[in-house]
Amino acid sequence: MEREWFFSLIPLTIGVAFLCFGVYGLRRAKALRLRGVNARARIVRHDVVRNDDGARFHYPVAAWTAQDGRACEYASRFGRGAVGNSFRVGAHVMVRYDPQAPDRVAIEGWDTRAVDLLFTVLGAVFTAGTVTVLAVRLLTL
């Protein structure tokens, strides 16, 4: 196998990984939209994570009581560098969660579909582009 073929696996792998991550997030959002219920929650803390460069990312943790009386707590999938007053500790927010699986939840105004849509589009472009280049290369050998 030539080196060029091996290196073409890099964008293909990245594309497939991005596509899978994005589609998973969009399907999750659709399930919440169809089966989810709204609940009033309170931000109880922020999980703070530092990356290798020292940047801090805040993941708000929302707590609420489910319809069946269970106490639920959820840390967002998405972190941000800054937290506004709307998501400070003690702030009241709305969450949408799946009653059958309370761990499937989104904090309204924080968890957006835009990130999942971006990953889906980028993944599709990387995957389709790489497959097209490989197909043209195979046909012109």
Side-chain angles (χ1 to χ4, degrees):
M1 179 181 263
E2 296 178 30
R3 271 193 148 139
E4 296 86 25
W5 292 98
F6 178 71
F7 286 115
S8 67
L9 293 178
I10 295 170
L12 183 63
T13 304
I14 292 170
V16 169
F18 277 26
L19 189 60
C20 290
F21 180 81
V23 168
Y24 168 77
L26 290 175
R27 290 189 61 169
R28 186 175 181 270
K30 182 179 179 183
L32 274 177
R33 196 171 55 251
L34 295 176
R35 292 189 302 264
V37 295
N38 289 330
R40 188 170 167 90
R42 192 170 57 86
I43 302 296
V44 293
R45 70 176 181 281
H46 290 177
D47 290 342
V48 179
V49 177
R50 285 188 185 269
N51 69 3
D52 294 337
D53 298 328
R56 293 170 41 150
F57 293 96
H58 301 266
Y59 296 82
V61 179
W64 72 97
T65 302
Q67 287 178 335
D68 60 2
R70 284 185 289 175
C72 299
E73 199 173 276
Y74 164 76
S76 176
R77 295 187 319 151
F78 301 111
R80 294 183 187 169
V83 178
N85 281 339
S86 302
F87 298 100
R88 72 187 186 295
V89 174
H92 290 279
V93 295
M94 291 299 290
V95 295
R96 187 157 183 91
Y97 73 97
D98 186 347
Q100 282 87 29
D103 60 324
R104 184 179 302 153
V105 63
I107 300 172
E108 305 257 340
W110 185 275
D111 295 326
T112 64
R113 287 184 34 207
V115 174
D116 296 322
L117 191 57
L118 176 67
F119 271 93
T120 302
V121 170
L122 286 175
V125 168
F126 270 70
T127 303
T130 305
V131 167
T132 301
V133 167
L134 289 174
V136 167
R137 198 167 154 96
L138 278 173
L139 293 174
T140 58
L141 282 180

